[in-house]
Every structure is written in C-alpha cells, then in structure tokens.
C-alpha cells in the first residue's frame, strides 16, 4: 500500500436525473431525456429514465500534509466528490481511498480518519449551544466523555467561541456557526480534513479568519482537501489545485504551474456600456484574441468582458474600434497578469462565476 | 492548543464496541430532549391537547344520548362498558399516540434532512439506527407523560374511574410499543427517499381512526371493514387497554391480546428495520440525505 492521504482512480458518480429546475442549468453531462416519474414509495427501484454524470472519471492523488484545492463553478461536482470521499455517497464506479482505507469496503475506518465540513452552518444544531453540539458529536465519534470535555474546551478557545459557548447557535453569526462546524470536524483529531466551501456566505473578515485557520491546520500537519469557487482562495491556500468542470478534472498543478500555462498571454478586462451579444464574435475575429467572456455586472447595464491575447499592444486599437459603435462605449480597461480565473476561462471558455 | 493529527485512527483515544454505541445513543437522546424542551409548544402538546381532542367526541356522545341519556344505554350494551367517557378517552389516546409517533418519529430524520444536520450525524462512525432509536426513546418518555397527564385530567374533570390492575396496563403499554414505533420507523425511512410518502401518514391516521374503533365498538362496522380492522394492531391495542383499564380484565383474559401484539410488534419492528436499511443503501446511491 502506498501512502497517499487521499487517492481516487477513475472515480465516477452518476445520479438518476432529477426533474428539478436546478438540473435544468446542467446542460452538461451526457445528454438524456428528462422524464419525471412519480414512484410508488414502497415499490422496487426502477431504472431511471436518464442518468446524470456529476463526477466523471476523476483521478486524484493527495499527499500527506498537503492542502489540495478543488476549484470549479457551481455544479462542477465538488461536493459530490467530497461526499464520496466521506462515505456518504457510493461511487458508481472507480476507486477511492482515504488514509489508505477503501471508501466502500472500509467505510468505518474512513469515517474515523476524516473530519468533514459539509453544508457549513447548516450542519450543526441551531437549537443547541456550541458546547452541546460538540458534546453530541464527540459521543457520536466515540470519544470518551472525559477526553471530550478537554478537547471541547480547547477547540472553543481556539475558535474564539469560549464566551459564547453556552448560547444557542441560532444566535451566532454565520462565521461563528462555520467555526463550530470546523471545531466539530476537529473533535476526533483526524489526520485528514475535507472542507466543502468553507468560506461560502461569510463576510470578508470571517472568511479571512477561516483561511487563516486552514493555514494553521496545515502547519499542524493535517492533510486538507478544500473546495471553493473563489480562485483567490484556492490560489492563496493550496499547494496544488485541481480545476474541475462538468465533473472532470481539466487541469491539475501548483497555482504557479497553472498560471504559467498562459503566461505568454495578457488578460484584458473591459467594462462596456451597452454591450451587444454579437460583439463577442466580432472581437474573436481579431488576431490572437481568444476566450472572450462577457459577463453582466448587474449595475447600470455595464458588462465586464474578459479576453486573452498574445499581444495586447497590437490588438487594443482594434478592440476599441469594434466596441465604440452604435452607442456602445468602453468605459474602463485593464491589461493584467493572467489569474487562475483566466486559466479557467482559457480551459473552459466560460467564467467561474456566472 | 496544538492538535497533533494522528497518522492512523488507532492512535486516538476512542471507545469501542457496545459501550461506545450506547453512549452515542445516549447522546442522541440528550440532544432530542434538550431540543424538545426548547420549543415552547410542548406545553400544548402535553397538557392541553389530551383534554381538548376527546372532548369533541364526548360532547357529541352526550348530545346523541338525548336528555334522558337513553342512547347511552344502547351504546353501553354494544360496547360492553358502563363508562362511555372512559371508553372514548382510551380510544382517542391510542389514536393520538400513534398519530404523534407517525409525525414525530416518522419525520424525525426528514426534519434533520431539511435542516441539514442529517449528513453530519451520518458521517460519524456510530450505528445510524441510533439516530432514530434515540428520537423514539424521547418520544416514548414524552408519551408516557402525555398518557399520564391525560389519565389524571380525565379522572379529575370527567370522573372517569380506571379500575384495572396497573401491572397489566403497564404490560399492555410495553407490548404496544413495538407495533406503534415499528410503523414510525418504517415511515421515517420511507420519507427520506420518497417525499410522496407524506400522504401515507394521512392514510394511516384515517385507517386507524375509522377501522380501529376509537370511539365506537368494531361491531358496528360492516363485515368487510371488520376484516380490515383485524389486521391493524391498533384495534387490539385499543381493545386491550379498554379491557385492562375499564373492565378489570384478568391476565388470563388479556393473554390473547398480548400474544397478538407480540406478533404484530415483531412484524412491524422487522419492517421498520428493513426499510431503514434499504433507505441507508438507497441514500448512498442517490445522495438523498443531503437534499432539501
Ligand atoms: N443527490 C443528487 N441527485 C441528483 N443530482 C445531484 C445530486 N447531487 C448533486 N447533483 C447534481 O450534480 C451536479 C454536481 O453537484 P455538486 O453539488 O457536486 O456541485 P458543486 O461543484 O459542489 O457545486 P456548488 O458550487 O453549487 O456547490 C449538479 O448539477 C447537481 O445538480
Ligand atoms: Mg457544492
């Protein structure tokens, strides 16, 4: 047996296709007819009308002590990957090991090796205090009461929750709830942590606090797999990053390696008033221009348009010419070093956030 | 504090085996009890509902009986009791018991699924059935108080005189538990993966209400309904409690009811457990636990 902390080989997860609006944005995955079915709840399982591939042939090898970031847009399959690793979901096919244990055949050992933060603030009981929550989960993780009491005191202290420890969680801020969830994951002192969007919905200060915590935990020797759709966060925290889209890992490497892939190029950010959809095509016709991704900012009919080019000096006049027509105006423009966001656009032709 | 992550799980202080599972179960019970106490509606559930609900039936029976209570004598002959109020009270209490179990135990996991906490408990290395079992233990405690309160309230307000052997009544209570809670387990498991199952709670409620004779003797039902009634454990539970509490039946007389309840109980517990296991497997395939 080798000693990867987390390992996945050709991991695939398919779901019976649902008839909910949220799978409607999934124009991804192998096409299949959506055929809603009402099922007799006591009946036997029928073959669903179609399958939806949420995680598609993922290979991962994460070293001990490494922080690995899984970066991808909504619906990319990040949470599904985490759910398979923490044994909540069974892979449709493929193999995954955590701490050397098979997630299907040795699920109990896997659960004992892991601390997982899924669904953040919603994963704890709001009608209990932070201390009661931690006491409950400690018992569920088979930690003897006496040991648990010490650890809970330490964790509350560390998460700066000590003076609110006996208040109901429902009175906490989102950041505090998230810290209780992280404390819960640390209770059993697991070697490996899975953090699913640990900063989602937090204000900037609370998010910074969580990111610091991730760094501290890494320094203590934890292996951490975290998912995010904030590229700055992945860039800042991860030793290596896997970019995931439509269930596939489409790029993998250190942040620097990933950025180097397009380092010969410049990223141009434009702010355009009165953007017309056919302009994207017109820009693409300019030499060396690629990855034109327009994106509505949501204010004053302003659009943000990102593109990559090998030679910004040569194409800028052409860009401005083509845009400043028929009442359309370029109101702002920056030529910047490519970021992970641009790497993502380069790879997928679309923005991380939409 | 510095947590030193263990390189393997065995290096951690950890309990093992049955003892560990028992403390996990106890933790679930404590969690449920703490949360229950924090919702003020428990006062209504425990003290007000038990008197209010049977009242409608009791009052209509008095109205139907006419000014001279002539109708009551006919009812008494049919029902084999002289205590009409006691008769109705027992029927409605059992109905409420089953009803509360269907809602509270039946939706225990569903509610956690909606709140988002189900997956966090599910990820622990503990026995998952404890989550349901712990909830039921709390429900059982609450129901004991509920039934106790009802009995006191009816002796005080309506002058019902319960005259049975308390031990036989307790035995009846214990033997009713597996059927009533087994049905609750079955529901709790089905509603996780099949939302449409909510409707079945109403169906079961209705069945029990009409077929099991909560306010009237089964004998007034048409023949085919009586045959349906004999497949519902609640029929025997209601009958048994009436015999034990109002008619002072002996152990010998109650024995057949006890035996039938053992069979029904074993059946429904097995069904509940099997459906739970099936839900566990199915949720691993479909990810149902994390959906809301
Ligand atoms: N239990 C399920 N049943 C059916 N489809 C599912 C299920 N869970 C997830 N999906 C679908 O699989 C896809 C991947 O979902 P997943 O939650 O893994 O994405 P994600 O990368 O975590 O995205 P987000 O940033 O929105 O959290 C989505 O299209 C989602 O609708
Ligand atoms: Mg997610």
């Amino acid at each position: 047996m080798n000693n990867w902390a987390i390992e996945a080989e050709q991991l695939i997860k398919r779901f019976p296709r649902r008839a909910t609006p949220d799978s409607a944005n999934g124009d991804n995955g192998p096409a299949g007819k959506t055929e809603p079915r009402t099922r007799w709840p006591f009946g036997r399982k029928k073959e669903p009308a179609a399958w939806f591939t949420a995680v598609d042939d993922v290979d991962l090898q994460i070293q001990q002590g490494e922080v690995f970031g899984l970066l991808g847009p909504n619906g990319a399959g990040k949470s599904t990957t985490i759910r398979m690793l923490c044994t909540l979901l069974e892979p449709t096919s493929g193999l995954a090991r955590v701490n050397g244990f098979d997630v299907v055949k040795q699920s109990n050992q896997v659960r004992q090796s892991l601390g997982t933060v899924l669904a953040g603030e919603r994963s704890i009981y709001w009608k209990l205090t932070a201390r009661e929550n931690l006491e409950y989960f400690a018992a569920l993780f088979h930690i003897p009461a006496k040991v648990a009491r010490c650890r809970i005191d330490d964790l509350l202290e560390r998460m700066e929750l000590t003076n609110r420890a006996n208040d109901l969680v429902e009175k906490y801020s989102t950041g505090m709830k998230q810290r209780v969830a992280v404390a819960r994951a640390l209770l059993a002192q697991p070697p490996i942590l899975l953090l699913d969007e640990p900063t989602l919905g937090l204000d900037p200060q609370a998010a910074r606090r969580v990111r610091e915590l991730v760094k501290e935990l890494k320094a203590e020797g934890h292996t951490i797999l975290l998912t995010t759709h904030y590229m700055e966060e992945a860039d800042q925290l991860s030793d290596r990053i896997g970019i995931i889209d439509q269930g596939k890992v489409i790029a993998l490497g250190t942040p620097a390696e990933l950025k180097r892939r397009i380092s010969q190029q410049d990223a141009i950010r434009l702010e355009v008033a009165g953007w017309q959809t056919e302009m994207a095509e017109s820009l693409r016709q300019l030499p060396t221009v690629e990855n034109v991704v327009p994106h509505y900012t949501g204010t004053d009919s302003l659009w943000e348009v990102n593109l990559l080019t090998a030679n910004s000096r040569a194409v800028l006049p052409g860009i401005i010419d083509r845009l400043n027509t028929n009442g359309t105006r370029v109101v702002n423009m920056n030529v910047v070093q490519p970021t992970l966001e641009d790497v993502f656009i380069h790879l997928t032709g679309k923005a991380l956030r939409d | 504090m510095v947590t030193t992550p263990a390189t393997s799980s065995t290096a951690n202080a950890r309990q093992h085996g049955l003892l560990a599972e028992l403390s996990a179960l106890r933790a679930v019970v404590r969690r449920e009890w703490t949360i229950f106490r924090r919702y003020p509606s428990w006062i209504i559930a425990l003290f007000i509902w038990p008197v209010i609900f049977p009242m409608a039936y009791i009052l209509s029976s008095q109205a139907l009986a006419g000014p001279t209570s002539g109708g009551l004598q006919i009812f008494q002959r049919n029902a084999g009791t002289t205590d009409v109020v006691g008769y109705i009270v027992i029927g409605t209490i059992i109905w409420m018991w089953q009803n509360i179990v269907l809602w509270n135990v039946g939706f225990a996991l569903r509610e956690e699924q909606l709140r988002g906490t189900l997956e966090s408990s599910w990820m622990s290395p503990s026995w998952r059935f404890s989550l349901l079992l712990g909830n039921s233990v709390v429900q059982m405690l609450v129901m004991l108080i509920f039934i106790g309160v009802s009995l006191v309230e009816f002796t005080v307000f309506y002058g019902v005189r319960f005259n049975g052997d308390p031990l036989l009544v307790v035995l009846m209570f214990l033997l009713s538990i597996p059927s009533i809670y087994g049905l609750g387990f079955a529901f709790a498991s089905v509603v996780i993966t099949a939302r449409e199952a909510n409707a079945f709670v109403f169906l079961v409620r209705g069945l029990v209400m009409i077929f099991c004779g909560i306010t009237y003797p089964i004998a007034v039902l048409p023949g085919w309904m009586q045959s349906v009634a004999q497949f519902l454990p609640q029929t025997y539970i209601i009958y048994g409690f009436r015999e034990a509490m109002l008619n002072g039946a002996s152990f010998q007389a109650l024995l057949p009811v006890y035996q039938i309840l053992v069979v029904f109980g074993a059946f429904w517990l097995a069904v509940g457990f099997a459906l739970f296991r099936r839900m566990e497997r199915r949720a691993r395939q479909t990810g149902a636990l994390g959906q809301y």
Side-chain angles (χ1 to χ4, degrees):
Chain A
M1 203 182 286
N2 54 44
N3 46 5
W4 297 112
I6 299 175
E7 202 186 353
E9 278 171 36
Q10 302 179 328
L11 200 60
I12 294 179
K13 182 67 198 176
R14 293 203 178 90
F15 290 115
R17 196 184 262 280
R18 290 182 299 177
T20 56
D22 108 46
S23 64
N25 74 2
D27 45 308
N28 40 4
K33 268 191 307 191
T34 310
E35 196 176 296
R37 258 185 208 196
T38 30
R39 199 178 340 104
W40 170 248
F42 298 98
R44 76 173 44 185
K45 193 168 135 194
K46 291 189 198 116
E47 269 300 291
W51 293 91
F52 172 79
T53 309
V55 171
D56 195 357
D57 205 4
V58 163
D59 289 294
L60 286 178
Q61 285 165 337
I62 300 175
Q63 280 162 25
Q64 287 180 14
E66 186 176 25
V67 176
F68 189 95
L70 209 48
L71 176 69
N74 288 127
K78 305 180 295 289
S79 303
T80 306
T81 306
I82 297 244
R83 284 200 168 88
M84 283 192 277
L85 293 175
C86 71
T87 77
L88 282 175
L89 277 176
E90 205 167 281
T92 306
S93 68
L95 197 122
R97 282 199 212 94
V98 171
N99 207 19
F101 301 113
D102 187 292
V103 294
V104 179
K105 294 186 203 113
Q106 296 165 296
S107 57
N108 233 32
Q109 286 97 318
V110 170
R111 281 184 229 143
Q112 297 192 340
S113 314
L114 277 180
T116 307
V117 177
L118 252 183
E121 47 157 1
R122 286 167 32 87
S123 67
I124 49 174
Y125 293 88
W126 290 22
K127 276 282 173 192
L128 297 180
T129 67
R131 191 183 296 279
E132 286 164 347
N133 264 291
L134 294 177
E135 280 167 358
Y136 165 69
F137 285 108
L140 243 54
F141 275 86
H142 298 170
I143 301 166
K146 219 185 259 159
V147 180
R149 222 164 297 137
C150 292
R151 279 194 204 166
I152 290 169
D153 282 339
D154 289 346
L155 282 169
L156 287 170
E157 190 66 45
R158 163 169 207 177
M159 300 292 158
E160 293 156 36
L161 291 167
T162 304
N163 50 7
R164 300 287 305 276
N166 298 322
D167 291 350
L168 295 190
V169 165
E170 65 186 359
K171 299 198 184 112
Y172 290 8
S173 68
T174 313
M176 292 168 75
K177 287 175 190 144
Q178 189 72 11
R179 296 208 297 273
V180 179
V182 175
R184 186 204 60 211
L186 294 174
L187 269 175
Q189 303 188 338
I192 301 169
L193 298 172
L194 306 179
L195 310 177
D196 191 22
E197 314 235 18
T199 59
L200 187 71
L202 300 191
D203 60 70
Q205 205 180 337
R208 195 171 330 121
R209 177 78 192 86
V210 169
R211 285 196 286 266
E212 270 159 24
L213 201 58
V214 171
K215 288 181 191 159
E216 285 168 35
L217 291 168
K218 175 192 159 64
E220 288 160 20
H222 288 278
T223 305
I224 300 172
L225 170 59
L226 68 91
T227 75
T228 177
H229 57 268
Y230 302 118
M231 47 135 190
E232 303 91 343
E233 184 169 294
D235 197 353
Q236 211 184 88
L237 295 177
S238 317
D239 297 316
R240 283 192 303 148
I241 290 174
I243 295 182
I244 183 168
D245 185 40
Q246 299 186 8
K248 287 193 163 72
V249 174
I250 51 177
L252 202 152
T254 64
E257 276 166 13
L258 291 175
K259 281 184 259 184
R260 215 175 297 136
R261 289 185 171 204
I262 53 169
S263 60
Q264 315 86 333
Q265 293 179 300
D266 295 322
I268 299 180
R269 303 225 188 299
L270 301 157
E271 265 179 60
V272 180
W275 171 260
Q276 326 253 311
T277 30
E278 54 296 350
M279 288 176 164
E281 201 39 55
S282 135
L283 290 180
R284 277 188 203 109
Q285 282 159 9
L286 287 164
T288 79
V289 168
E290 52 177 309
N291 300 322
V292 181
V293 178
H295 162 76
Y296 184 54
T297 58
T299 46
D300 299 334
S301 65
L302 268 186
W303 286 68
E304 188 183 289
V305 182
N306 288 289
L307 55 85
L308 284 177
T309 169
N311 191 346
S312 58
R313 281 167 205 277
V315 297
L316 269 180
I319 292 174
I320 293 170
D321 269 359
R322 292 192 177 204
L323 291 180
N324 281 341
T325 52
N326 288 334
T328 303
R329 282 261 153 310
V330 177
V331 296
N332 198 356
M333 185 169 68
N334 288 302
V335 180
V336 293
Q337 277 299 305
T339 62
L340 283 175
E341 176 100 34
D342 298 299
V343 176
F344 185 82
I345 294 171
H346 178 70
L347 291 166
T348 65
K350 63 181 186 210
L352 257 176
R353 280 159 290 181
D354 38 30
Chain B
M1 170 195 100
V2 176
T3 43
T4 28
T7 43
S8 96
S9 62
T10 44
N12 262 314
R14 194 165 257 152
Q15 285 179 300
H16 289 283
L18 192 63
L19 217 59
E21 293 299 344
L22 281 177
S23 36
L25 178 62
R26 203 184 53 194
V28 178
V29 171
R30 223 171 86 184
R31 178 203 82 197
E32 270 310 301
W33 180 248
T34 312
I35 293 176
F36 173 76
R37 277 187 305 133
R38 287 182 185 157
Y39 282 102
S41 66
W42 64 268
I43 299 193
I44 299 174
L46 278 187
F47 296 104
I48 302 179
W49 193 224
V51 250
I52 300 285
F53 184 73
M55 217 139 81
Y57 293 102
I58 292 167
L59 293 176
S60 56
S61 77
Q62 285 168 359
L64 285 173
T68 58
S69 294
L72 279 187
Q73 277 148 27
I74 301 168
F75 183 88
Q76 285 165 359
R77 239 188 345 267
N78 273 337
T81 178
T82 51
D83 190 342
V84 178
V85 175
Y87 188 91
I88 291 174
V89 166
I90 289 176
T92 49
I93 286 181
I94 302 300
W95 182 82
M96 283 193 283
W97 185 13
Q98 181 69 74
N99 195 18
I100 289 172
V101 166
L102 283 179
W103 280 117
N104 292 3
V105 176
F107 287 90
L109 298 180
R110 175 84 181 114
E111 208 168 288
E112 287 210 43
Q113 179 189 30
L114 289 168
R115 291 219 187 100
T117 48
L118 187 54
E119 282 189 321
S120 13
S121 298
W122 220 256
M123 284 187 292
S124 81
S126 284
W127 198 39
R128 284 147 174 185
F129 196 68
S130 297
L131 298 173
L132 198 46
L133 208 57
N135 186 286
S136 309
V137 170
V138 173
Q139 283 306 318
M140 227 172 293
L141 267 170
V142 173
M143 276 323 295
L144 259 178
I145 304 175
F146 179 93
I147 292 174
V149 168
S150 313
L151 296 184
V152 169
E153 284 176 348
F154 282 103
T155 22
V156 173
F157 298 136
Y158 293 91
V160 176
R161 285 190 308 112
F162 298 104
N163 62 6
D165 179 344
L167 277 181
L168 295 181
V169 175
V170 169
L171 188 58
M172 187 63 72
F173 182 78
L174 291 177
L175 291 176
S176 304
I177 286 173
S179 305
I180 288 183
Y181 286 83
L183 196 61
F185 296 158
F187 267 104
S189 311
V190 171
V191 291
I192 293 294
T193 51
R195 313 281 156 70
E196 312 91 321
N198 288 14
F200 283 78
V201 171
F202 291 102
L203 185 70
V204 170
R205 257 157 53 127
L207 282 180
V208 172
M209 189 162 219
I210 295 167
F211 286 89
C212 301
I214 67 168
T215 55
Y216 44 76
I218 306 280
V220 306
L221 294 175
W224 71 271
M225 286 179 86
Q226 289 188 35
S227 348
V228 173
Q230 70 184 349
F231 291 105
L232 298 172
Q234 294 81 1
T235 307
Y236 302 92
I237 295 172
I238 293 172
Y239 171 80
F241 271 106
R242 281 173 182 155
E243 288 299 305
M245 294 176 81
L246 297 176
N247 296 346
S250 66
F251 178 77
Q252 284 308 320
L254 290 173
L255 191 57
V257 181
Y258 289 147
Q259 285 168 337
I260 278 181
L261 286 181
V262 168
V263 174
F264 270 118
F267 174 77
W268 277 109
L269 276 187
V271 169
F273 194 66
L275 285 174
F276 184 86
R277 294 306 296 266
R278 192 190 73 139
M279 177 272 284
E280 212 180 345
R281 275 196 311 277
R282 192 181 259 191
R284 253 200 322 265
Q285 307 299 332
T286 65
L289 298 181
Q291 291 176 342
Y292 33 89

